[in-house]
Structures are given as C-alpha cells and as structure tokens.
Amino acid sequence: MNTPAATGAPPQPRSLESAFEDTIARDQRVEPRDWMPDGYRKTLIRQIAQHAHSEIIGMQPEGEWITRAPSLRRKAILFAKVQDEAGHGLYLYSAAETLGADRADLTEWLIEGRQKYSSIFNYPTRTFADVGVIGWFVDGAAICNQVPLCRSSYGPYGRAMVRVCKEESFHQRQGYELLLTMMRGTEEQRAMVQDAVDRWWWPSLMMFGPPDDNSPNSARSMAWRIKRHTNDELRQRFVDMTVPQAEKLGVTLPDPELRWNEERGHHDFGTPDWDELKRVISGDGPCNAERIARRRAAHEEGAWVREAATAHAAKQAARASEGAAA
Amino acid sequence: MTVDLTTHAAALALGDDTLVLSHRLGEWAGHAPVLEEELALANIALDLLGQARVLLSMAGDEDELAYLREERAFRNLQLVEQPNGDFAHTVARQLYFSTYQHLLHAELAAGEGPFAPLAAKAVKEVAYHRDHAEQWTLRLGDGTDVSHERMRRACEALWRFTGEMFQPVEGVDVDWAALETAWLASVTDVLGRATLSVPEGPRTGAWAAGAGRQGLHTESFGRMLAEMQHLHRSHPGASW
C-alpha cells in the first residue's frame, strides 16, 4: 500500500483513508503496518480469531474417534488431520496477531464464550461414518468459504488461507474416500453412512451463515473485500458441488425440495432451520457446553505446564546473562 | 515377505510397543496444555503408528494383529501401556522410551538384520521424540516448584517399568547390556540437568520383569484395548 512518505508532519487522516480505499479499490493487499480503519481491523480480528477457534474446537468431534478408528490406516489419517487442524489454528492466530490481537486474550475470549466458532462443531460425532461425512461436507463447505478468502484484502489472512485450503482439500478427498469404502462394504456400513449424511446435511448448509437478507456484517465485509461472495452464493455453490458427489456415492440428501433448476442452472433446495442456527450460535446446540468445557479444562489443567515453561525460559535467560557478565 | 518365527515374534514385540504408545498419545488429542503440544504429541503418535504398521506387517496383517488379538497376546512393554496421567507422566514415559528406542534403532540401523531398513528411517523420527522429551523434562524439572514436584513423582512412578526394556528380545540382534548402560547414562544426565535425581527404587520389580513381553499386562491395558478394538470387532469382516 502506498502511503505518503514520512515528512515529519503529522499524517493526514484524509489521505490515509483515501490511500486505504484506493488499495481496496485496486484489489491490492493491506499489510500489517498499513493504516486501516478501526472497523476494518476489528472485523478482521473477529473473523480471523473465530476462524482460528473453529479449527481448534473442530479438533474435538473428530478427535473423539482417534482411539476408536477401525483400521490403522484410518487412525493414521485422523492423527494427521487433527494435527493439521492444530496447525491451521496456529497460522490463523498468527494472522490475528499481526492486527495487534494477543493469542492468550483470544483463547480467554473463546473459553468465556465472548467469541464464537463455527456452528457445525456443536454437533456430535455419533458413528465412524460421521468422520467421513465431516471430511466431505464440513471440509467441503469450508473450502467453498475459504478459497475466495485466499484473495481477501488483508494479506496475512489471504496467505494463511492458501496454506489452509491446500490441506483442507486433501482432507475432503480422504473423507469422501472413507465413505466410498464404507458404501462398498456391508449393509450396516451403508446404513451408517446414510444416517450420518441425514444428520450433517442441514447443519453443513448452516455453516455459510444466515441468509443474505439477515447477515449484518456481510455488506461491509464485501465492501472491504474481506469477503468475496455472499452467504447464499456460497451455499448455492456448495449444494451444486455436492449433489453429484452424493449421486456417485449412492446416498440421498435429506431434502425433498432438492432438484435441478434448468432455468437458473443451479439446484433448488429447501430452507435450513434458521431458528436452529440461531440457537446453536447463541450457545444452545447439542455440544456447545461440552466443547467449551473441554477447551477450558485443557487450558486450565495445562496452566502449570505453561508456567513451568515460562519459569524455565526465565532461568535460562538469567543464566545466560550471568555467564555473559562473569 | 516371508519371515522366520523368531523375526515374527520380534516384529510383534517392537510393533506392539509403538502401536500401544501411539494409542496412548492419541488420548491427548484436544487435551494438551498448549496448541504446540497438540501438534507435537500427534506428530510423535503418527510417527510411532507408522513404525507399528511396518513392524506388524512384517508379522502378518496389521489390522488383524492390532484389532483381533486379546490382551494376553500383546507383547508390548508395560511401560508404554501406562496411562497418560498428567503431562509430567507422559513426558517421563516419553523420556524413558524414546531414549531406549533411539539407542536401539541406532544399533539396528547400523546392522544388517531384518529391522535395519525400518530402523534407518525410525532413528530420525525417534531422535526428534527424544529431543522433545528431554526439553520438556528440563522445563518441568527446572521450572516451578509445582512442575518440579510433578516431574519428580512421574519419574519415580514409572521407574519400576524401565528394566523390562533391556530384557533381550530374541531376534533383535543388539548388545542389550551395552544398551542398558548407555540408556542409564543418558537418563541420568538429563535428569541431573533437570535438577532431578535418578529414582532410587528398583528398575525391575519382581512382578514386572519381562512381563509385558510374555503377554502379562497391567490392569488399565484391557480397557485401552476395549476402546481401541470395539468398532473393528463390531463389524467382523468389514473393510474401512
């Protein structure tokens, strides 16, 4: 971003703001040292932090099945996936920190319920097929959301997304491949897959957020090119992408209104239960309490370990400076 | 690959060690004290699981061996099946085991036996595990009073399971006595730097000596296997 060179004179707010607007208009990237409006900074901190929280809370529903994975290959895949998610959380917290946020604060806000995470992770994983369906639907929806974010106006966020998307698409294929394997298996395995599809379909559509006419932050995020597409556009893209995959897999999607619309060139589909979404994001979903309790417990039970690491580092530093003084 | 019976039994012993420890580390997912440790513990677990898959495949079908054997047929050390406990117990278990495994694989990699190719790859992974365990032993031992005390207790609690590591495994061609000497020297050094003393109790209790290798396990192991095997056993013949 081009800002006037420092001349000793106090910066002109007008020119800073117009330079910012210009950067956005020319589809260039805003970088951490650039001036940005307070609202832009706050919106980004909120969005990136909640994205990071989603990665971290998202480790739980699948992590549930690591110790029960039915083959060593699947167990290895789950380990690698949960590890990737922790890594994505770290990238995103780093991106949020470039905006002046502090990771420790963000963690506090998560466990105090002051910041949110993706609604989807408040649903329970009841069978092993859920692991596959999470890969297929949830990672699929995440990809629809995140690929456009690779071009987000804020540089560090866009670059984090590039790395995240590469790994997510790998997970999505692995999830789908698990389901293909199960659909070629026993009658019970097929029933397990269909049941998981039935339970996760609507919650996955809700991952894109409320409908456009009821999405308070969307317009501004789009104007700032933090977001590139509306919730409804992305939801439509996800449905269009997923329907043929469902056919190939041999499962039905639990929506009687779902059909191809020749005129629109898109699938028509039913309306998600927006009241359910409202309840889930306000804390009243099936697993909200458990997810936060788990995060809080890990954080609190780990306090002595973090304190030890800090104390040890301080002792090492003191010894080093004593050594240098001697 | 055809392997003789001795190699088969040895692959099972080494494979079970890594399979079981990997599983225990998997129980940490979502519970670690910092995100960086979520990554590190999953990373180590994944390495160990990879080693287990190679070793078990030398002995037969990896899934059949992992999921369809009963407790009495498992040949892992009792050390690796010990519950995670607090973070200090996990670190102490990692310190004891990864030091052993690193020395063992360095020797196996240098030899020409059936485990040399696996050991050549594993030794690099295990060097990282060992470093990770040592660093945490130092941080906890030489950290706060609380962490020092927790680390001390953990090292003592697991000490009586360490002798079993040096019971010779037939088919694993290493100098077990030299391995034990090197292990003791290394652990003594790390504990000393961590301001901890080497536990005083015996390293091999009358009840523990060689027991895991004979299929005699501690009580929590059965419950661990129940969780690990439940789904696989519920769908006989299914593939995943």
Side-chain angles (χ1 to χ4, degrees), chain B residues 98-117:
Chain B
S98 63
T99 304
Y100 152 81
Q101 213 193 1
H102 189 233
L103 294 165
L104 174 69
H105 283 312
E107 244 194 276
L108 288 175
E112 283 172 1
F115 300 111

Side-chain angles (χ1 to χ4, degrees), chain A residues 56 67-76 79 83 90 103 128 189 192 294 302 305-306 308 312 315 319, chain B residues 23 26 29 31 33-36 39 43 45-46 53 63 67 136 138 142-143 147 227-228 232 235 239-240:
Chain A
I56 301 310
T67 54
R68 291 177 285 171
S71 73
L72 297 186
R73 177 165 169 266
R74 294 295 169 194
K75 191 171 184 163
F79 263 129
Q83 191 189 354
L90 287 177
R103 179 173 141 194
F128 196 68
Q189 284 178 302
M192 216 187 266
R294 164 82 88 88
V305 176
R306 296 190 300 275
H312 180 71
K315 284 184 193 181
R319 280 177 206 135
Chain B
H23 185 95
H31 293 276
V34 284
L35 286 183
E36 285 78 356
L39 275 161
N43 197 334
L46 189 55
R53 294 181 68 190
D63 285 336
Y67 291 101
W136 272 111
L138 296 178
D142 187 26
S147 69
E227 183 174 343
M228 182 172 105
H232 185 97
H235 297 270
S239 38
W240 304 88

